[in-house]
Amino acid sequence: MKSLQMHNVGPAPEMEVELAPRLNLITGDNGLGKSFLLDVAFWALTRRWPAEVNPHLTSGLMARPTNSGPASIAFCFSGKAKEENYQSEFNRRDQAWTGRPGRPSNPGLVIYAQVDGSFAIWDPHRDYWKTRGGTDVQDRIPAYVFTPQDVWNGLRYGETEVCSGLLADLVLWQKGDDDSYKRLKRVLKRLSPDGHPIKLGEPTRISLDDARWIPTILMPDGARVPVLMASAGLKRILSLAYLLTWSWTEHREAGRLLGEGPSKQITFLIDEIECHLHPRWQRTVIRSLLEVWKSFGRGEYVQLLVATHAPLVLASVETLFDHEQDAWFDLDLEDKAIHLRKRNYVPRGEVSNWLTSQAFDLQQARSLESEAAIENARSLLRGSAPTPEQLESAHRQLLEAAVPATDPFWVRWQAFYESLR
């Protein structure tokens, strides 16, 4: 994906972004358009809105005009055979976005991990239009769009089961010890936090009334936990590892049946990458995802679009970020208008420094009470001689706000306070 330009659609009247070829970080407060950008990027690449394919989704809905008047989405991406440049207009009578006649350009494999656990996958071997008798025929499954329940229990398209789901596939793969299982183990190893590899145990039964065999996770203390009873963070990583493995396995198999090789281009979109993850995971997850694709033999052609609220995610790429192939975009609300800007990514060292950066715009990396107490005390430091009442009030406020004795501000304040008592 190279660029997106939106007019009269989404949270801002105008929005434009020129994307980097490898890693794109997107930050901003809630409601400013991070998920919207990912939704539009998926549609631009595939011409499908996730909720249009699977109406059970509560996210990934079709973008619509914000106000009266023309609305447009323009985009550019590198296709398999050529570069695609197109501007789509919203047809109000049809309630749809216009498209160019014939088959669109092939963007390669596109995977979208949404924040609620849904996934949307567009596979050029399985979802691209057929050509029959020299005529384009759009009769393949438009995309594979999973609700969180579909990820675990399987996905049906009409009367056909197109994916058995995590619970069934993991047991089947493990029993057969086939390439899919070996690939999944590699993915889980790479997505695991340092020193805590995720390993699958033997399947188990969990209920007299449920005849299914359930995959298990081996915990660090040696316990064997059914995946249905695992923590939210483990479930997030496990579902991510499963869908990446399933997507790549099915893509390769479809290519074999077609007599074609795997796609050279992969676009991976992930919303709130830190969702449910402990900080130990947050500081490794982006690097891990890049390594996952390298293990598939496609690392150099992968583009990531990552929305995040986590300062630790931004700090985690300080030694990885390359200005030639990576970019950071920030959404801000200023004077009741939303602005999308490309920011200069500069390493900030400690994670708390990211909280006071343009990514999060906090005045201080402290609690609201501590921030108010320190700002009040600073005003006395900067002003003329305070009254004894003002001095004692500020000191008491610092104590009540639980500003710790180890805070660097205390050194300056204590000297000032003692000199005036």
Side-chain angles (χ1 to χ4, degrees):
M1 194 83 209
K2 290 191 172 182
S3 66
L4 286 169
Q5 299 92 35
M6 288 140 286
H7 169 72
N8 190 27
V9 58
E14 304 284 343
M15 196 176 286
E16 181 174 351
V17 59
E18 299 285 335
L19 295 163
R22 186 180 68 158
L23 174 62
N24 296 272
L25 297 164
I26 305 169
T27 59
D29 204 347
N30 295 98
L32 299 188
K34 299 187 300 299
S35 299
F36 166 76
L37 279 173
L38 297 181
D39 289 346
V40 172
F42 184 82
W43 172 82
L45 291 164
T46 69
R47 305 300 197 279
R48 300 293 177 184
W49 301 101
E52 175 187 44
V53 178
N54 189 336
H56 296 292
L57 262 63
T58 57
S59 58
L61 280 70
M62 179 176 69
R64 296 178 180 275
T66 306
N67 299 303
S68 60
S72 64
I73 300 175
F75 52 87
C76 175
F77 66 82
S78 297
K80 179 180 179 181
K82 62 178 181 178
E83 184 171 279
E84 174 77 56
N85 281 280
Y86 188 69
Q87 177 166 309
S88 179
E89 311 287 340
F90 189 76
N91 186 315
R92 293 180 183 271
R93 185 168 297 277
D94 294 340
Q95 290 292 289
W97 292 93
T98 60
R100 181 183 297 145
R103 297 201 297 175
S105 294
N106 181 344
L109 184 62
V110 184
I111 302 174
Y112 181 11
Q114 296 171 266
V115 68
D116 64 352
S118 304
F119 282 82
I121 299 164
W122 192 91
D123 185 339
H125 289 340
R126 309 175 79 201
D127 304 314
Y128 203 36
W129 297 3
K130 291 181 180 178
T131 300
R132 185 181 299 128
T135 303
D136 292 333
V137 183
Q138 192 175 3
D139 61 356
R140 283 202 171 131
I141 294 174
Y144 294 82
V145 180
F146 299 76
T147 66
Q149 292 75 25
D150 295 333
V151 172
W152 290 77
N153 298 315
L155 177 67
R156 301 187 71 85
Y157 189 75
E159 297 300 316
T160 304
E161 183 180 79
V162 295
C163 174
S164 299
L166 182 153
L167 296 176
D169 275 344
L170 260 60
V171 172
L172 181 65
W173 294 351
Q174 188 173 15
K175 182 178 180 180
D177 195 28
D178 57 10
D179 289 342
S180 297
Y181 184 58
K182 294 172 183 175
R183 190 172 292 126
L184 176 69
K185 289 197 295 184
R186 292 199 301 269
V187 173
L188 283 173
K189 182 178 180 180
R190 284 172 170 81
L191 290 178
S192 300
D194 291 340
H196 295 79
I198 301 172
K199 295 181 180 179
L200 295 176
E202 290 298 316
T204 188
R205 299 275 289 274
I206 62 174
S207 169
L208 289 172
D209 302 317
D210 190 343
R212 296 177 300 173
W213 288 93
I214 304 299
T216 64
I217 294 287
L218 293 178
M219 303 302 291
D221 61 0
R224 186 167 58 112
V225 177
V227 295
L228 290 174
M229 300 174 182
S231 67
L234 274 170
K235 286 180 177 178
R236 167 79 162 175
I237 291 296
L238 191 60
S239 60
L240 183 61
Y242 166 67
L243 260 300
L244 293 179
T245 304
W246 181 86
S247 301
W248 188 248
T249 299
E250 292 298 315
H251 177 65
R252 287 177 61 91
E253 180 61 19
R256 183 189 67 80
L257 294 171
L258 293 172
E260 299 180 16
S263 176
K264 293 184 177 180
Q265 296 183 172
I266 301 166
T267 307
F268 183 38
L269 306 93
I270 182 165
D271 197 2
E272 292 193 29
I273 192 171
E274 70 280 359
C275 187
H276 300 308
L277 299 185
H278 187 277
R280 186 168 54 244
W281 262 319
Q282 291 181 21
R283 67 178 186 175
T284 61
V285 65
I286 288 182
R287 186 184 299 274
S288 297
L289 286 172
L290 290 172
E291 290 175 353
V292 163
W293 292 114
K294 288 180 181 178
S295 73
F296 291 166
R298 286 292 178 272
E300 66 211 72
Y301 298 106
V302 174
Q303 182 188 43
L304 269 62
L305 276 66
V306 177
T308 182
H309 285 299
L312 194 51
V313 168
L314 286 160
S316 72
V317 298
E318 289 191 349
T319 58
L320 178 70
F321 196 92
D322 181 349
H323 290 273
E324 295 297 318
Q325 55 182 345
D326 304 326
W328 164 34
F329 302 96
D330 188 39
L331 286 152
D332 281 306
L333 180 63
E334 298 173 1
D335 299 324
K336 298 183 178 181
I338 296 173
H339 302 275
L340 175 64
R341 298 186 177 94
K342 182 178 180 181
R343 301 290 193 188
N344 182 31
Y345 184 92
V346 178
R348 287 170 168 80
E350 289 189 4
V351 176
S352 60
N353 294 332
W354 278 100
L355 286 170
T356 56
S357 73
Q358 294 168 318
F360 302 102
D361 301 310
L362 297 186
Q363 194 169 10
Q364 295 184 25
R366 296 180 172 90
S367 69
L368 283 172
E369 293 80 6
S370 296
E371 180 180 301
I374 289 175
E375 286 303 312
N376 179 48
R378 278 179 175 165
S379 68
L380 299 183
L381 286 168
R382 291 191 294 262
S384 55
T387 66
E389 292 77 12
Q390 289 175 322
L391 188 69
E392 291 302 326
S393 175
H395 191 73
R396 187 167 56 254
Q397 186 180 4
L398 288 168
L399 293 172
E400 291 174 351
V403 177
T406 55
D407 194 298
F409 180 75
W410 268 114
V411 176
R412 185 182 177 193
W413 172 256
Q414 198 68 33
F416 177 75
Y417 176 71
E418 294 293 340
S419 70
L420 295 180
R421 288 188 68 189

